[in-house]
Amino acid sequence: EDSDDRTTTMEMDMEENKLRESVEKNKEVYRKHYMSLKNIKVEIEHMKAMLKKNRRQIQLEFEHWWKDHKDEDNKMNVKPKAITGDKVADENIAEFYRMRDQILTSMN
């Protein structure tokens, strides 16, 4: 029986060692993937920040362009173009845009 016990103990020790090795390998794979994902997250956050910055810059450039465009129209006393072909509707649309521009200007 003593021999059987030793054999069983040795088999259990071998199995335990195999499991430990497997756990260590899995830990290493986990760490490697975790670090990879962590680095990717940093890159994504950087890209999001750059996207936000670029979006704001484009918005500001458009607002400046729009203001300059409207200033040029006002200097030349440009009359609104016919949009629908209906004089009353076109005047109402033009008035809407004039009022909207006044509101936006007052907000800045």
Side-chain angles (χ1 to χ4, degrees), residues 87-101:
K87 183 179 177 186
V88 174
D90 289 343
E91 288 172 357
N92 287 337
I93 292 169
E95 182 62 21
F96 166 80
Y97 283 111
R98 275 192 293 277
M99 291 173 73
R100 183 200 64 174
D101 290 343

Side-chain angles (χ1 to χ4, degrees), residues 44-57:
I44 290 171
E45 293 302 322
H46 176 72
M47 287 179 187
K48 283 181 180 179
M50 293 301 294
L51 181 61
K52 186 176 182 180
K53 178 183 172 189
N54 289 339
R55 185 178 291 138
R56 182 66 186 141
Q57 183 64 34

